[in-house]
Amino acid sequence: MSGDAARAWSFLQCDPDYRAEWREAAAQPAWEEAPFPVRVQTGADLAALASWRMLAWEDPRGAAASAFFADVPMLDGAGSQRAPPLLPLLRNAGAAVEGLRLRGGGLVLKVEKDGAAVQVRVADDRVLLAGGGVRLWHDWGLRLPVEIARLTDLWSVSGGPAPGRGIGGRDRRVTATRSS
C-alpha cells in the first residue's frame, strides 16, 4: 500500500471533483479519546466509500501522506500484551499514527512515515489503546518476523517499500528502541 496509496492520495488532493464533493459531503470529524488521534467514521464518510473507495473523508488540504483507503492490502491485527508496545516503537521511529473507528466497531490504524503509509485492521484494540502491542497476521503467503522490532519490519510485511525509499531516495532504515 505504501507507495500506491500515497500516489493515489496525491492525485485525489488535486482532483477538482474530489475537492468539491469533500466540501459538500464531509462532516466535521468526531474524535475518540485515545493515546493517538482516532476519528470516528460517520454516516457522511459512507459517501466517500461509495464514490472514492475511502473509509473516511480526508481533507485535501491536510498533511496526511495517505487517506484511509478501503481497497488496499491491509494487515489484520489484535491487541497483545505479549507483543512489544507498538505506540512507543512508532513514536521513537518518527512515524505518525492515526486511527479510524469503523461504524461496525473495528479500528483501522494508519502508520505514516516519509510519504509512505501502512494500514492495520485491529479487531480487539483495547490492549493497544492501553499501551500494549499488536499481533499481526495476513493471508498473503508471506512469513512475518517473530516480532516487529523496527519500523521497517512493519513495511516489509505490508508489501510496500520502506519509508524513505523511492525514486532517488536512500534506504533510511530506522531502528526503534523497544520500551520495557
Side-chain angles (χ1 to χ4, degrees), residues 1-5 7 72-75 116-120 136 138 140-145 148 151-163 165:
M1 159 180 167
S2 12
D4 293 341
R7 276 191 293 281
V72 296
M74 199 177 312
L75 295 168
V118 171
Q119 288 180 184
V120 179
L136 299 172
H138 59 72
W140 306 338
L142 300 174
R143 292 192 59 196
L144 292 177
I148 305 260
L151 185 60
T152 54
D153 293 337
L154 185 58
W155 262 265
S156 71
V157 299
S158 73
R165 284 192 176 173

Side-chain angles (χ1 to χ4, degrees), residues 3 25 38 83 105 107 111 121 126 133 145 147 150 176:
V38 176
L107 178 73
V111 180
R121 186 180 13 253
R126 291 172 296 186
E147 66 182 35
R150 301 177 307 167

Side-chain angles (χ1 to χ4, degrees), residues 87-96 113-114 150-152 174-177:
L87 297 176
L89 181 145
L90 297 174
R91 227 181 336 266
N92 290 341
K113 177 146 173 63
D114 296 337
R150 301 177 307 167
L151 185 60
T152 54
V174 178
T175 302
T177 55

